[in-house]
Amino acid sequence: MVSLGQPDRMYMNTDLTAGLAPITETPTEIAAYLEELNTGALIMSIVHMTGDASILEQVHGPRTLDVVAAGSASGEELLEGGYTRDEVAFVRARALDAIAQWQARGCELPPVSGATITDLYRYMCGGAVEDDYLEFIDEEIALDGIDRRAPRMNDPEIRSRAGEFPVLIIGAGMGGVLAGIRLGQAGIPYTIVEKNPGVGGTWYENRYPGCRVDVPGHSYSYSFAPNHDWSCHFPLADEIRAYFDECASRYRVTSHIRFSTEVVAARFDDASSRWLVEVTDGDGNRETLEARAVISAVGQLNRPKMPAIDGLEQFRGTLVHSGAWPHGLDLAGQRVAVIGAGASAFQIIPELAETAAELTVLQRSPAWMFPNPGYHAPVGAGQKWALEKLPLYSKWYRFWLFYTSVEGVYEQTLADPDWDNPLSVSPANDAMREALTAWIDSQVQDPALREQVLPTYPPFGKRILQDNGTYLAALQRDNVDVVTNAIERVTERGVVTSDGQLHEVDAIVCATGFHADRFLFPMTIVGRDGIELNEQWSDTNGRAYLGITVPNFPNLFCIYGPNTNLVVAGSIAHNAESQVNYILRCIELLLERGYKTLECRQDVHDAYNRRVDEVNAATAWGSPLVNNWYKNQQGRVTANLPFRIIDYWKMTRQPDPDDYVFD
């Protein structure tokens, strides 16, 4: 492990070369591959190959560019990381020389001091970062290959107790598979109950045309299980599902999963301090399972929400929700209406526009969008080559993607109480609004359409989407009509809007989201003394300490629970790892102390949630100017984590026993 603060300690990298594929390409082929690489990560690899950090003095560190910046103030084009073409050419030339020297030494990496590693961290972050951020980076990218988030239960007595602490996990998506991996490493027996026939969670269920993640794939993965073979920088749903399926198989989780089985109810038995979990399989057979702890990994976006529109059930054509797209459904040549213009619709509409005879987009509110020319871009052969063959390039590339998404725009989402503009929440937020408006203006020439697609709420008031120009281009096709009049009702033949017009269609696609404010819905969860979780949460007012534990519900843990959704804070994969780490540490506390249960103290829970509400209310998405799916019916933000991801990482590194009541 890098010992930050002990600059004289040498950091040996020889163990990492074993996992690298040999470089067999010619210098000409290598030079061509280098043209595709991330410059900051390449600089880091040069230092590791040579043991010489002098390049840090010759080229500035990577910089996060404004999302719509096409060039510098002087007009010179800036590439990824804020580098000029001359700077990139210099780095590539140094890299070509460093690779040749490294190969000549038999591909042995020279040792690097702890002080140099600290310099590399600061260089990639732009210099001025607090010391605990360095530890945060060190854990996230694990340059030495040590998984610092793995369970630490090595004491024989603790391992023995672990074997008698069965855990039930609900859901086999990202969080459930991760929890299974960590429990298996700790020697804790577990069962995963999954309602679908396969692994993947939301990525198993969402199979609509164009479905893909809007976080770079190379950071949308477990830190200890990188995937160097993504076909696209922002992978499609099937590829993501396959990744989690492969992880479940590799870490021997699959054999612990009961597929096509659903949890109906879970009740905490006070007498035995165990959870009694009622499940039903695909044939309707019911069974009760016992567990010492229950981990809910059902997430927030797993129950499709059909719109409450009069007459919807009378429609005689094809009616489908984006979150439950039937296998093999093809709407080519048909007249199709899409209800909604959020994240799913943003991906569906360009796909349907290509094949539908007519496409009617029924939009209640338009979306802000980040310019991202590479949103659909494939991962090039050079990038795959570097991830597999260049020393530590993959580690630093992941960190660059992670860091820029974590810190890039956080400050621009915070509200200024003295700012008085209904279109933004602060001067910085307004500058972003102007920049994003310019991006929309650059694509839409029709004034009428521009008025329809230009949001009139602050950026980040609702989810900002990734855009490479495909969406707005689709709206300008001859076979596409954007309708902003409210939907009045649905008839047998189509959709009637508030202007009285009937839009006759053959199919209706409801891209209308999920029951995001009904956590653990529709299960019945009963805690200590018969208290029902649904009643404690008043249906849609979910609250949990750190989004993980809930008073009155001993040994019940949530992954992606209330107020843990990330808006600007990076990859949800990182947050899942923080939460599972915390859960395993809680179980470790129980095993060490010989207690049966732990339960969050009410005062600790309440104080934390007051802080969550306070900070959320002072953000763009918490603004009273905006309605969004992040809020419940009372206007409280129940979905989003308002803190920086490093702050949440600190909160979840180790549970404080004083926060809990032990039995």
Side-chain angles (χ1 to χ4, degrees):
M1 175 178 177
V2 178
S3 183
L4 303 175
Q6 295 185 29
D8 294 332
R9 180 172 179 175
M10 299 307 291
Y11 180 58
M12 310 302 292
N13 292 305
T14 53
D15 60 321
L16 290 178
T17 58
L20 294 173
I23 295 178
T24 58
E25 291 78 11
T26 67
T28 300
E29 291 171 322
I30 293 173
Y33 283 154
L34 293 177
E35 294 182 5
E36 299 180 19
L37 304 191
N38 175 273
T39 302
L42 184 57
I43 291 171
M44 298 296 97
S45 186
I46 292 171
V47 175
H48 288 294
M49 284 187 286
T50 62
D52 178 7
S54 63
I55 191 172
L56 305 186
E57 304 296 328
Q58 298 167 324
V59 185
H60 66 79
R63 301 165 183 165
T64 302
L65 293 177
D66 184 274
V67 294
V68 295
S72 66
S74 64
E76 185 173 13
E77 181 185 12
L78 295 180
L79 306 178
E80 182 184 30
Y83 294 101
T84 66
R85 291 193 175 276
D86 286 344
E87 289 168 337
V88 170
F90 172 79
V91 172
R92 289 172 183 165
R94 287 288 299 272
L96 198 60
D97 184 57
I99 293 168
Q101 292 182 35
W102 177 57
Q103 289 180 295
R105 294 196 309 271
C107 295
E108 289 189 5
L109 296 179
V112 180
S113 71
T116 298
I117 293 296
T118 299
D119 289 342
L120 297 185
Y121 289 160
R122 293 190 183 280
Y123 181 86
M124 287 292 281
C125 295
V129 292
E130 57 265 38
D131 289 342
D132 54 2
Y133 213 109
L134 303 181
E135 192 173 358
F136 172 60
I137 302 167
D138 188 51
E139 179 183 297
E140 172 62 25
I141 64 175
L143 287 175
D144 54 7
I146 298 174
D147 180 4
R148 290 164 179 65
R149 295 169 187 158
R152 302 168 300 191
M153 301 180 198
N154 298 319
D155 181 88
E157 177 63 25
I158 301 301
R159 296 287 290 193
S160 176
R161 294 176 186 174
E164 298 176 355
F165 195 93
V167 176
L168 186 136
I169 303 167
I170 309 172
M174 172 190 286
V177 170
L178 175 62
I181 292 171
R182 294 311 199 191
L183 289 170
Q185 291 171 336
I188 297 173
Y190 67 93
T191 298
I192 301 179
V193 177
E194 169 54 54
K195 71 179 188 293
N196 293 315
V199 165
T202 190
W203 298 109
Y204 182 92
E205 295 169 351
N206 284 270
R207 301 187 176 210
Y208 58 79
C211 181
R212 69 173 69 229
V213 70
D214 56 5
V215 173
H218 294 98
S219 65
Y220 194 82
S221 56
Y222 302 137
S223 61
F224 56 87
N227 179 18
H228 299 331
D229 200 35
W230 294 116
S231 63
C232 298
H233 288 283
F234 294 81
L236 289 162
D238 283 348
E239 196 170 4
I240 300 170
R241 179 197 55 75
Y243 166 77
F244 291 120
D245 195 28
E246 191 276 330
C247 285
S249 176
R250 187 197 323 171
Y251 291 95
R252 299 180 175 85
V253 172
T254 308
S255 61
H256 294 259
I257 305 175
R258 296 181 58 162
F259 291 109
S260 300
T261 303
E262 190 163 0
V263 172
V264 177
R267 178 175 63 85
F268 181 76
D269 181 64
D270 295 276
S272 65
S273 296
R274 286 176 173 260
W275 280 94
L276 306 179
V277 184
E278 184 180 354
V279 301
T280 180
D281 64 18
D283 297 323
N285 300 313
R286 296 206 172 206
E287 182 181 357
T288 298
L289 308 177
E290 291 190 18
R292 292 285 303 276
V294 170
I295 299 175
S296 168
V298 300
Q300 298 184 14
L301 308 176
N302 66 95
R303 297 288 178 174
K305 184 177 183 179
M306 293 296 287
I309 301 173
D310 288 342
L312 190 64
E313 70 283 353
Q314 298 176 10
F315 181 62
R316 289 189 174 181
T318 301
L319 177 64
V320 60
H321 190 283
S322 59
W325 195 271
H327 181 72
L329 177 63
D330 186 0
L331 300 178
Q334 298 189 36
R335 299 169 301 170
V336 183
V338 175
I339 300 176
S344 298
F346 199 81
Q347 295 177 336
I348 291 172
I349 286 168
E351 299 290 329
L352 295 182
E354 292 281 346
T355 60
E358 300 174 10
L359 180 62
T360 302
V361 177
L362 296 155
Q363 172 193 282
R364 182 174 60 181
S365 176
W368 285 114
M369 56 198 79
F370 273 150
N372 183 356
Y375 187 44
H376 292 171
V379 178
Q383 187 71 273
K384 291 183 179 181
W385 171 85
L387 292 168
E388 295 172 354
K389 299 188 176 185
L390 278 191
L392 298 164
Y393 175 87
S394 65
K395 299 277 190 180
W396 289 107
Y397 180 57
R398 177 186 171 94
F399 175 68
W400 165 250
L401 297 175
F402 179 82
Y403 179 75
T404 53
S405 67
V406 167
E407 300 299 329
V409 294
Y410 179 77
E411 296 297 328
Q412 292 165 289
T413 70
L414 303 180
D416 180 345
D418 297 325
W419 182 253
D420 185 18
N421 185 335
L423 300 179
S424 55
V425 297
S426 70
N429 187 255
D430 197 60
M432 176 182 284
R433 180 189 63 81
E434 292 181 352
L436 298 179
T437 297
W439 170 249
I440 293 174
D441 285 346
S442 71
Q443 299 178 71
V444 180
Q445 283 70 51
D446 179 6
L449 180 60
R450 179 188 181 278
E451 184 176 356
Q452 289 178 308
V453 300
L454 186 64
T456 56
Y457 57 85
F460 280 104
K462 301 184 181 184
R463 183 175 175 182
I464 287 191
L465 307 176
Q466 302 281 348
D467 178 47
N468 61 355
T470 303
Y471 179 74
L472 292 176
L475 298 188
Q476 296 174 82
R477 292 175 62 101
D478 292 339
N479 65 327
V480 178
D481 185 25
V482 178
V483 176
T484 55
N485 292 316
I487 298 174
E488 187 175 279
R489 66 184 187 279
V490 172
T491 72
E492 296 178 351
R493 296 185 296 149
V495 181
V496 178
T497 47
S498 58
D499 58 354
Q501 182 177 352
L502 170 63
H503 303 270
E504 292 194 46
V505 293
D506 306 306
I508 297 177
V509 175
C510 299
T512 48
F514 301 85
H515 290 280
D517 57 358
R518 302 192 69 181
F519 299 94
L520 279 67
F521 171 81
M523 297 178 292
T524 300
I525 310 295
V526 182
R528 190 183 297 282
D529 300 324
I531 297 173
E532 287 198 24
L533 185 60
N534 189 48
E535 292 181 3
Q536 181 166 310
W537 282 349
S538 302
D539 288 336
T540 63
N541 197 27
R543 297 176 187 267
Y545 178 51
L546 303 174
I548 300 173
T549 60
V550 186
N552 301 316
F553 294 84
N555 292 8
L556 174 67
F557 305 99
C558 297
I559 301 171
Y560 199 19
N563 292 114
T564 58
N565 181 61
L566 299 182
V567 187
V568 295
S571 169
I572 198 69
H574 172 88
N575 242 29
E577 291 196 34
S578 290
Q579 291 156 17
V580 170
N581 169 76
Y582 187 86
I583 293 168
L584 266 290
R585 304 292 184 242
C586 284
I587 294 175
E588 184 180 14
L589 272 178
L590 289 173
L591 299 175
E592 286 176 348
R593 297 181 173 211
Y595 290 120
K596 292 182 179 180
T597 64
L598 60 74
E599 179 183 337
C600 181
R601 286 172 41 191
Q602 188 73 50
D603 60 328
V604 170
H605 167 276
D606 293 349
Y608 173 78
N609 278 278
R610 282 193 296 271
R611 178 60 178 157
V612 165
D613 290 348
E614 175 187 332
V615 180
N616 263 328
T619 63
W621 56 82
S623 168
L625 302 172
V626 179
N627 292 318
N628 51 45
W629 68 263
Y630 306 142
K631 299 177 180 179
N632 65 6
Q633 296 170 352
Q634 290 72 44
R636 175 179 169 262
V637 176
T638 59
N640 293 352
L641 180 74
F643 310 121
R644 292 189 310 161
I645 203 167
I646 185 175
D647 298 323
Y648 190 67
W649 171 77
K650 293 176 188 176
M651 297 174 191
T652 55
R653 292 196 76 188
Q654 181 67 43
D656 184 348
D658 291 340
D659 292 341
Y660 290 91
V661 177
F662 293 86
D663 180 6

